[in-house]
Amino acid sequence: MTTPRLMLLDTASLYFRAFFGVPDSMRAPDGTPVNAVRGLMDFISRLTDEYRPTHLACAWDNDWRPQWRVDLIPSYKAHRVVAERPGAAPDVEEVPDPLQVQVPVIREVLAALGIAVVGADEMEADDVIGTLATGAGMPVDVVTGDRDLFQLIDDAARVRVLYTARGVGRHERLTAHEVVEKYGVLPEQYADFATLRGDTSDGLPGVKGVGEKTAAALLLAHGDLTGIRAAAADSTSSIAPGVRAKLAAAAPYLDVAPRVVAVRRDLDLGDLDLTWPSGPADPSAFAALTEQWGLGSSAERILAAQSATAE
């Protein structure tokens, strides 16, 4: 009997990686680039072949920069917003045009294959992943190049991250041990660690003058951000005066940042069937898409990966 296992894909992270990693000479018969489409299909094939999940979901950014997070920290992902220009919609993510045209194709292909795509209004894919990973009742592999999701790692619940920063083919399997080795903090401390350190990729300023080593040392000594701030307010604590002053100066940021950095785990996603399908949901539609977009060997590989489920 196959052991249930859930794989959660940070879809945008993967198709961006495919777009920049697969040659743009890979094109459909009409000349449209399909490197992100085919790259994502190949990633899914490779990962499912290696890990044999029984369940899989492509988490989707219904809102890549939710207003409720921006309201708390206006700089949140601000550097990724398209420069203002006449007629431009507000808060549109800077996406290369050759990738933008492929995103609808990706959605069509995933639908034809019967692969679950899960998003939530006003939420990022991270929040969907956090919700699906929490209480899944089976081992979970979170596939992402985003360090924010390290906070979900939970050895007891068998949740790990397949970290793709160096490429899908060279991904790292991260459990609590690896997080401690890399950063000196436990996964459950990672969100507070990121809050203190800041993250330029997300527009999080962090506490000025507090880097990774200081953040890790503070968490080691005081457990979490609440404990650190309590100790900083206590003149008899072991926190150095300089660090105490830096934390005090960052108080407005520290008041709101934890809500921005924390991945949501409580979304109402409704009833979902995340079963990894043993074949396309709509074979004729998938065949038509394969011909229209010239998906070739990528289509063959993902069909083979699906059919392996039934073996």
Side-chain angles (χ1 to χ4, degrees):
M1 182 177 178
T2 303
T3 302
R5 176 174 291 277
L6 172 62
M7 179 171 283
L8 300 173
L9 306 183
D10 182 357
T11 316
S13 171
L14 291 175
Y15 68 60
F16 265 93
R17 177 165 292 280
F19 175 75
F20 288 107
V22 178
D24 64 3
S25 58
M26 190 169 284
R27 293 178 176 261
D30 68 358
T32 302
V34 290
N35 54 337
V37 181
R38 293 192 59 171
L40 177 63
M41 293 170 68
D42 288 344
F43 289 163
I44 295 173
S45 300
R46 182 170 191 156
L47 289 162
T48 54
D49 276 344
E50 182 169 356
Y51 292 99
R52 297 299 177 99
T54 57
H55 297 74
L56 183 142
C58 285
W60 204 264
D61 285 312
N62 277 20
D63 191 338
W64 71 280
R65 188 176 184 243
Q67 188 60 46
W68 61 270
R69 282 191 164 109
V70 176
D71 288 343
L72 293 169
I73 299 181
S75 63
Y76 183 66
K77 294 187 177 180
H79 60 295
R80 302 191 204 174
V81 177
V82 174
E84 290 187 14
R85 58 178 181 262
D91 286 0
V92 174
E93 186 175 16
E94 188 74 71
V95 177
D97 289 341
L99 172 55
Q100 191 68 57
V101 298
Q102 297 183 63
V103 175
V105 181
I106 289 170
R107 290 296 299 255
E108 287 185 285
V109 167
L110 293 174
L113 286 166
I115 297 174
V117 175
V118 186
D121 291 346
E122 300 180 347
M123 296 293 160
E124 300 174 57
D126 286 7
D127 303 304
V128 171
I129 290 171
T131 297
L132 293 175
T134 301
M138 66 181 79
V140 179
D141 289 322
V142 175
V143 183
T144 185
D146 186 349
R147 293 184 297 177
D148 288 346
L149 290 171
F150 292 176
Q151 64 189 273
L152 298 178
I153 293 172
D154 186 333
D155 288 357
R158 298 172 296 171
V159 178
R160 65 183 176 180
V161 165
L162 306 182
Y163 186 46
T164 60
R166 295 188 301 171
V168 172
R170 301 174 61 206
H171 67 267
E172 303 171 77
R173 299 184 187 95
L174 300 187
T175 62
H177 174 77
E178 285 74 30
V179 175
V180 172
E181 284 287 303
K182 282 177 175 286
Y183 302 106
V185 299
L186 295 167
E188 57 265 33
Q189 295 174 308
Y190 191 84
D192 286 345
F193 174 74
T195 296
L196 290 163
R197 176 202 62 200
D199 190 337
T200 55
S201 68
D202 280 339
L204 297 173
V207 176
K208 188 175 181 180
V210 172
E212 289 196 354
K213 289 184 178 179
T214 301
L218 287 168
L219 286 164
L220 178 64
H222 305 287
D224 58 19
L225 187 57
T226 299
I228 292 168
R229 298 189 74 184
D234 179 359
S235 61
T236 66
S237 75
S238 61
I239 295 181
V243 175
R244 195 188 305 274
K246 291 169 184 174
L247 292 167
Y253 163 76
L254 293 174
D255 287 342
V256 298
R259 282 177 281 166
V260 175
V261 177
V263 170
R264 291 283 299 273
R265 301 176 186 234
D266 59 351
L267 304 183
D268 182 1
L269 299 175
D271 294 326
L272 299 170
D273 181 2
L274 304 183
T275 304
W276 170 241
S278 59
D282 190 336
S284 61
F286 184 67
L289 289 167
T290 297
E291 181 176 0
Q292 178 182 359
W293 300 110
L295 302 182
S297 58
S298 298
E300 294 171 7
R301 280 190 285 271
I302 204 162
L303 290 176
Q306 286 190 321
S307 65
T309 305
E311 296 175 0

